């Protein structure tokens, strides 16, 4: 593995070629902490990162505390019903304020009871009355940018970044007929995996592995590349029936989303929103895989499952949705296991870049999207 | 302290004669940079013991092992030859095999790329549109594998000398153990929260035995090997009976016939540099293979071997329990000591300590390592001028 000049474009010339001439990323892109830190600084902290659904925090005071690549974040709904995000650190001596999920009328620091309103304002700081020039108004929680699209919540750590709408490009138009604002998240599951975040995303966006990895569950899938403008990439898979159920459970399928356009009614979309969110939009539901990297070789993956509100209101919903859960609980561990195997193999000091199949164009796109952001600028005046 | 932990000036006290020497500085046991230097300059360049040939007797038998150089596969091919490969697919890098077993070919669990037992890529469906893709360029990466006495060693450096060169006089000295005629009857594995050197140092000094093993193995008084030739060292424990059962128990198995010289009169606790011990007794042998996994963590693989004639005895399964009991107790005691020592070495207040005359090989091990990891002195030394 190289350590010096790791970000020199010269090491990546073959990754930059067209997919059928290209090589895969060098293994250090998956194993090096230095490469990972560069991704955090140049990608994750500058781009919009998906964090969940608005409907997961329905009432004022509902909150969730997340670890986003080392940054502690609180997302909550304030008293006026507005969603807000803050850095999860007390303005006194820095203690983490909230953990997990829950409900609170205000945020009380567990160390010295400094108390913050849901708006972030510091409303009480007992024992600070003798501290010279201490002005509570200057010690509110530090806000983080939060924007939403059709109920999907995204954060951005960069004040200068353009809007979420700009970032998503033509994706909202593309999925307009899915009535996404009307979806409700009904289940979340977390997996803690010994793999780099890119490995998981690459796996989700290529079909080449399906006849091998999923041969006993969901089987082979065939997909078509979609035109995208914006920070996303999509694959369309023609299918008359939902793929969110195993073949033997198709009798339990819920009705299709009534507003689907002709194409959406006869297939489904796999979408990656860069840098690290995967969505599957089927005719009857959607699920996402959101990644929370914990270092070069460790990733927490959250799967969220959503159905139209009308479907969740059906009297037989609780019973029939179990068949959907069964499908996810079967296929995801297969992808989790192969991802950890791939990470283990890539840690070989003999690992060399491989070639890509025509089944893997998005794997190539992901690599190049990352390189566009993490590499040093090419020296000017060269032949390139 | 100098900013450069590989500056030889920092190790002058380690280099003194044993009676005046100090132990290695604490960073040698806790620093990520020192650990990485050991991997790069020692482990990646030398012969590393892996396992016995009798672990994979038949064509298609394989073992997958995790090493400091990532995962590897050791297998027996169709012609009966032994081969080692990097355990990583040439496509997108997945680990191919896990654990041990038998296979006719190696099929990647991700996209079904298929390799022969000779490492050649035989099938890669779905690659037919990839420009200039030639299966012949994507065989598994071979790793050098050589054997001595039925023991398999791998070397990650294509330019290294042969295993026999590395071992020097050891094969001749130990010929009458007839290791070729042995079989491994039990293996065990431990993850230990300590630097690999702590396990190796502990295994080659008797000073700790009357404390750590006072309720089990008891005190052992050994003699250091004088001037070993080759990358090995040893301490010899004179004892007419086998040391492989607990004191007070009688070793039930016969001695290896025709043991020569001192081999018939005690145990050689033998260090095969960098990180393997062969404990060679009159009736059996066991190995300790230490794999560094982090500055403060290592994996210990232990294997117990007996002559095939002994292992074939009808009373073997019953009587060998006395050996296994002794090993399980002794190894667990040493592992606990390693963990305690590592915890203490994390204290910033630890300063290098003096060594007892009963710890000459702890000193030798430190010097062997320093010879390989330190930077050359900046000035032209007499040795460099040769």
């Amino acid at each position: 593995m190289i350590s010096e000049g790791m970000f020199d474009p010269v090491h990546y010339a073959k990754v930059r070629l067209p997919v059928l001439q290209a090589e895969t990323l060098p293994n250090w892109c998956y194993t090096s902490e230095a490469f990972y830190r560069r991704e955090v600084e140049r990608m994750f902290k500058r781009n919009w990162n998906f964090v969940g659904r608005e409907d997961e925090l329905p009432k004022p005071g509902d909150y969730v505390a997340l670890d986003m690549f080392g940054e502690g974040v609180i997302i909550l709904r304030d008293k006026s019903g507005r969603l807000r995000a803050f850095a999860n650190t007390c303005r006194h001596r820095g203690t983490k304020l909230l953990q997990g999920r829950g409900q609170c009328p205000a945020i009380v620091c567990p160390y010295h009871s400094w108390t913050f309103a849901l708006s972030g304002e510091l409303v009480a700081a007992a024992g600070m009355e003798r501290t010279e020039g201490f002005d509570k108004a200057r010690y509110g929680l530090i806000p983080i940018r939060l924007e939403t699209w059709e109920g999907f919540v995204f954060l951005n750590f960069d004040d200068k970044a353009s809007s979420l709408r700009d970032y998503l490009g033509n994706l909202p138009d593309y999925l307009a007929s899915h009535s996404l604002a009307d979806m409700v998240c009904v289940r979340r599951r977390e997996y803690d995996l010994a793999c780099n975040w890119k490995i998981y995303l690459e796996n989700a966006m290529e079909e080449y592995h399906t006849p091998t990895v999923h041969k006993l569950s969901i089987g082979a899938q065939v997909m078509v590349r979609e035109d995208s403008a914006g920070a996303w990439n999509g694959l369309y898979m023609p299918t008359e029936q939902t793929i969110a159920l195993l073949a033997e459970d198709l009798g339990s399928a819920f009705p299709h989303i009534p507003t689907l356009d002709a194409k959406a009614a006869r297939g489904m979309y796999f979408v990656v929103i860069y840098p690290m969110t995967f969505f599957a939009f089927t005719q009857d539901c959607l699920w996402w895989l959101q990644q929370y990297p914990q270092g070069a070789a460790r990733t927490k993956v959250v799967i969220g499952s959503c159905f139209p509100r009308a479907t969740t209101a059906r009297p037989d919903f609780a019973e029939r949705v179990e068949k959907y859960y069964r499908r996810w609980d079967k296929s995801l561990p297969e992808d989790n296991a192969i991802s950890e195997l791939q990470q283990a193999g890539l840690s070989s000091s003999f690992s060399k870049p491989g070639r890509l199949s025509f089944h893997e164009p998005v794997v190539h796109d992901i690599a190049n999207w990352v390189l566009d952001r993490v590499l040093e600028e090419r020296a000017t005046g060269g032949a390139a | 302290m100098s900013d450069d932990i590989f500056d030889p000036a920092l190790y002058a006290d380690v280099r003194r004669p044993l009676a005046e020497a100090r132990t290695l500085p604490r960073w040698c046991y806790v620093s990520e940079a020192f650990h990485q230097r050991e991997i790069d300059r020692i482990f990646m360049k030398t012969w590393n013991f892996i396992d016995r040939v009798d672990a994979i007797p038949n064509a298609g038998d394989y073992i997958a092992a995790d090493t400091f150089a990532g995962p590897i596969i050791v297998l027996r091919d169709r012609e009966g030859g032994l081969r080692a490969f990097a355990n990583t697919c040439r496509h997108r890098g997945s680990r191919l095999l896990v654990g041990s077993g038998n296979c006719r070919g190696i099929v990647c669990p991700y996209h079904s790329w298929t390799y022969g037992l000779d490492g050649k890529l035989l099938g890669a469906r779905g690659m037919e549109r990839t420009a200039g893709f030639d299966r012949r360029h994507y065989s598994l990466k071979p790793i050098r594998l050589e054997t001595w006495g039925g023991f398999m060693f791998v070397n990650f450096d294509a330019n290294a000398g042969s295993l026999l060169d590395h071992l020097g006089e050891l094969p001749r000295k130990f010929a009458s153990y007839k290791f070729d005629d042995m079989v491994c009857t039990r293996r065990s594995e431990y993850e230990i929260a300590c630097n690999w050197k702590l396990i190796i140092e502990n295994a080659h000094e008797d000073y700790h035995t009357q404390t750590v093993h006072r309720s089990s193995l008891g005190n052992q008084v050994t003699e250091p090997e004088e001037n070993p030739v080759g990358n090995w060292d040893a301490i010899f424990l004179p004892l007419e009976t086998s040391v492989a059962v607990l004191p007070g128990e009688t070793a039930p198995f016969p001695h290896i016939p025709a043991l020569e010289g001192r081999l018939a009169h005690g145990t050689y606790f033998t260090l095969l540099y960098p990180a393997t011990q062969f404990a060679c007794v009159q009736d059996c042998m066991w190995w300790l293979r230490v794999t560094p996994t982090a500055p403060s963590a290592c994996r210990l693989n232990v294997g117990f071997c007996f002559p095939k004639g002994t292992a074939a005895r009808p009373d073997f399964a019953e009587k060998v329990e006395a050996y296994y009991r002794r090993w399980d107790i002794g190894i667990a005691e040493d592992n606990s000591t390693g963990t305690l020592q590592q915890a203490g070495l994390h204290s910033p207040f630890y300063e290098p300590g003096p060594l007892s005359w009963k710890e000459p090989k702890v000193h030798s091990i430190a010097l062997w390592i320093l010879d390989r990891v330190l930077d050359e002195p900046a000035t032209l030394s007499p040795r460099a001028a040769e």
Side-chain angles (χ1 to χ4, degrees):
Chain A
M1 171 168 137
I2 61 163
S3 50
E4 290 183 19
M6 179 186 286
F7 303 105
D8 185 335
V10 73
H11 297 302
Y12 305 89
K14 289 185 171 166
V15 185
R16 298 306 210 165
L17 296 171
V19 57
L20 294 179
Q21 299 165 25
E23 286 189 351
T24 60
L25 287 171
N27 70 333
W28 65 76
C29 301
Y30 301 92
T31 60
S32 151
E33 290 299 330
F35 196 90
Y36 170 71
R37 283 194 299 276
R38 179 69 76 105
E39 290 176 331
V40 171
E41 293 307 320
R42 298 212 177 172
M43 291 168 48
F44 304 157
K45 287 196 178 171
R46 295 185 190 177
N47 294 296
W48 287 97
N49 294 282
F50 173 70
V51 290
R53 286 283 300 180
E54 270 199 64
D55 52 88
E56 295 180 88
L57 304 171
K59 296 188 296 295
D62 286 347
Y63 68 83
V64 56
L66 298 174
D67 173 18
M68 300 180 67
F69 29 90
E71 297 285 345
V73 172
I74 300 167
I75 303 165
L76 58 75
R77 195 176 289 277
D78 72 13
K79 285 202 196 311
S80 69
R82 178 182 159 194
L83 282 181
R84 293 174 182 267
F86 300 106
N88 192 359
T89 175
C90 184
R91 293 297 307 277
H92 172 219
R93 276 166 52 208
T95 301
K96 188 176 199 173
L97 295 162
L98 293 175
Q99 303 202 53
R101 289 174 174 271
Q103 232 284 332
C104 61
I107 299 165
V108 182
C109 179
Y111 202 169
H112 305 91
S113 291
W114 279 32
T115 302
F116 301 88
L118 298 178
S119 61
E121 271 174 90
L122 177 61
V123 291
M128 296 298 288
E129 53 281 358
R130 299 186 202 166
T131 303
E132 293 181 22
F134 177 74
D135 178 358
K136 284 205 301 260
R138 289 164 56 190
Y139 291 90
L141 294 181
I142 296 162
I144 293 167
R145 282 181 75 185
L146 179 153
E147 295 183 16
T148 66
W149 157 61
E150 301 283 22
F152 297 109
V153 182
F154 291 75
L155 301 189
N156 198 316
F157 292 90
D158 182 0
D159 286 337
K160 298 187 196 74
S162 59
S163 73
L164 174 63
R165 275 296 168 142
D166 284 353
Y167 190 74
L168 295 177
N170 65 349
L171 183 66
D173 301 337
Y174 211 75
L175 293 165
S177 82
H178 276 82
S179 303
L180 296 171
D182 195 38
M183 290 277 183
V184 184
C185 178
V186 295
R187 192 177 82 147
R188 297 170 72 101
R189 277 276 147 64
E190 291 185 11
Y191 299 98
D192 186 22
L193 302 179
C195 73
N196 183 271
W197 67 276
K198 294 187 290 297
I199 282 182
Y200 206 80
L201 194 64
E202 291 163 359
N203 169 279
M205 291 302 289
E206 57 95 342
E207 72 199 13
Y208 187 29
H209 72 283
T210 56
T212 303
V213 172
H214 303 303
K215 60 179 174 286
L216 302 176
S217 56
I218 52 182
Q221 300 175 334
V222 179
M223 304 168 197
V224 186
R225 190 73 180 284
E226 292 294 313
D227 286 332
S228 58
W232 66 282
N233 219 316
L235 296 168
Y236 176 75
M237 181 171 124
T239 173
E240 294 295 325
Q241 291 173 302
T242 180
I243 68 144
L245 287 167
L246 297 171
E248 68 257 32
D249 290 333
L250 280 170
S252 296
F254 289 122
H256 285 194
I257 298 163
T259 50
L260 292 181
D261 62 29
K263 184 176 174 189
R266 308 198 63 177
M268 55 92 52
Y269 297 96
F270 295 104
V271 169
V272 52
I273 297 180
Y274 289 112
M276 51 189 173
T277 309
F278 164 87
F279 284 101
F281 300 97
T282 54
Q283 294 101 322
D284 51 348
C285 66
L286 73 88
W287 69 94
W288 73 72
L289 299 169
Q290 170 60 11
Q291 312 201 54
Y292 294 91
Q294 320 277 307
R298 193 105 223 148
T299 304
K300 188 174 87 175
V301 176
V302 176
I303 173 172
S305 304
C306 301
F307 288 85
R309 196 170 293 277
T311 299
T312 65
R314 292 167 60 101
D316 61 351
F317 178 73
E319 178 197 337
R320 281 163 77 168
V321 76
E322 290 298 325
K323 306 284 192 192
Y324 287 77
Y325 296 160
R326 182 167 168 247
R327 183 265 194 224
W328 290 313
D329 292 343
K330 194 156 185 160
S331 67
L332 282 172
E334 291 172 343
D335 287 323
N336 295 349
I338 200 69
S339 296
E340 292 192 329
L341 276 179
Q342 190 182 0
Q343 182 74 31
L346 286 169
S347 72
S348 169
S349 52
F350 292 86
S351 174
K352 292 267 186 299
R355 299 294 303 276
L356 289 162
S357 160
F358 68 93
H359 292 297
E360 299 168 296
V362 183
V363 174
H364 183 243
D365 287 345
I366 293 169
N368 281 285
W369 198 89
V370 171
L371 294 182
D372 285 345
R373 282 150 187 85
V374 304
L375 295 191
E376 304 297 353
E377 294 292 325
R378 207 173 265 283
T380 49
Chain B
M1 182 184 137
S2 156
D3 281 346
D4 174 15
I5 60 169
F6 304 107
D7 180 349
L10 295 173
Y11 301 87
D13 286 345
V14 185
R15 298 284 198 181
R16 294 181 198 285
L18 175 65
E20 302 161 25
R22 298 279 154 173
T23 58
L24 288 169
R26 62 182 285 274
W27 65 76
C28 301
Y29 301 94
V30 302
S31 143
E32 187 69 50
F34 197 89
H35 170 75
Q36 193 56 48
R37 182 68 74 99
E38 288 176 335
I39 299 296
D40 293 343
R41 297 213 181 168
I42 296 176
F43 288 90
M44 292 298 288
K45 293 186 179 299
T46 194
W47 288 97
N48 296 277
F49 171 66
I50 288 293
D51 207 311
R52 290 277 305 173
V53 296
D54 48 273
I56 45 174
N58 303 311
D61 286 348
Y62 66 83
I63 49 179
D66 285 325
T67 75
F68 44 84
I72 67 168
I73 301 165
V74 181
L75 59 75
R76 198 176 287 273
D77 67 21
R78 280 182 199 287
E79 285 73 45
L82 295 166
R83 294 174 184 260
F85 300 105
N87 191 359
T88 176
C89 183
R90 295 298 306 277
H91 171 223
R92 278 167 50 209
S94 271
R95 171 148 67 183
L96 296 161
L97 295 174
V98 179
S100 60
N102 183 279
C103 62
R104 297 169 55 189
I106 299 167
V107 183
C108 179
Y110 204 168
H111 304 91
S112 293
W113 279 31
T114 302
Y115 302 88
L117 297 178
D118 55 1
K120 283 196 187 122
L121 178 60
L122 304 177
R125 72 175 171 79
M127 297 298 288
E128 53 278 2
R129 298 184 204 167
T130 302
F133 177 75
D134 181 348
R135 282 205 309 250
R136 286 171 302 180
H137 296 158
Y138 293 92
S139 300
L140 294 182
K141 291 276 179 185
I143 293 165
R144 289 181 68 188
L145 181 150
E146 295 183 16
T147 68
W148 155 63
F151 298 107
M152 299 187 286
F153 294 74
V154 295
N155 196 318
F156 298 97
D157 181 1
N159 301 318
S162 73
L163 173 64
L164 286 181
D165 283 350
H166 176 78
L167 294 174
E169 289 184 357
L170 188 68
R172 195 165 50 77
K173 183 178 171 76
F174 280 3
S176 68
Y177 282 122
K178 296 187 276 293
F179 290 129
D180 272 316
D181 190 44
M182 287 194 175
V183 60
C184 178
T185 58
R186 183 169 177 252
R187 292 176 173 78
S188 54
E189 181 173 297
Y190 306 84
E191 298 286 343
I192 312 171
C194 75
N195 184 275
W196 68 276
K197 294 188 290 297
L198 299 185
I199 298 296
I200 291 299
E201 291 165 0
N202 169 282
H204 296 96
E205 56 96 344
D206 64 27
Y207 186 32
H208 73 285
T209 55
Q210 57 191 309
T211 304
V212 171
H213 304 304
R214 65 179 173 277
S215 312
S216 55
L217 315 180
N219 192 24
Q220 299 178 338
V221 179
T222 63
E223 301 163 7
E225 180 74 8
E226 305 280 347
N227 304 317
V229 176
N231 288 288
W232 62 278
D233 207 334
I235 54 177
F236 178 75
L237 174 67
L239 187 66
E240 293 301 322
T241 57
S242 170
V243 76
V245 293
L246 290 166
E249 299 203 38
T250 306
F253 298 137
H255 286 194
I256 297 161
L259 283 176
E260 287 171 9
R262 288 219 295 183
L263 276 52
H265 302 287
T267 299
Y268 270 101
F269 294 103
T270 310
L271 167 60
L272 277 66
Y273 278 113
T276 299
Q277 180 185 66
F278 282 3
C280 307
V281 199
Q282 295 100 316
D283 55 349
C284 65
M285 72 82 64
W286 72 93
W287 75 69
L288 307 177
R289 170 166 73 93
V290 185
T291 305
T293 54
S296 54
C298 63
R299 188 182 314 109
L300 172 65
N301 289 87
V302 189
F304 307 106
C305 301
F306 290 86
K308 282 177 188 157
T310 299
R313 289 163 58 106
D315 62 351
F316 178 76
E318 174 202 336
K319 292 193 168 158
V320 75
E321 290 301 324
Y323 293 74
Y324 295 161
R325 198 159 53 237
R326 181 262 189 236
W327 285 322
D328 289 346
I329 291 171
I331 290 164
E333 288 171 345
D334 286 327
N335 292 353
S336 302
T337 303
T339 306
L340 278 179
Q341 190 183 1
Q342 184 72 34
L345 288 169
H346 278 283
S347 168
F349 295 98
Y350 175 74
E351 290 174 2
L355 289 162
S356 159
W357 60 274
K358 293 163 81 69
E359 299 169 294
K361 299 305 183 188
V362 174
H363 189 229
S364 312
I365 292 165
L367 298 180
W368 191 91
I369 291 167
L370 293 182
D371 284 347
R372 284 154 182 83
V373 303
L374 295 190
D375 292 323
E376 296 288 330
T379 51
L380 253 188
S381 70
R383 194 169 151 206
E386 275 172 21

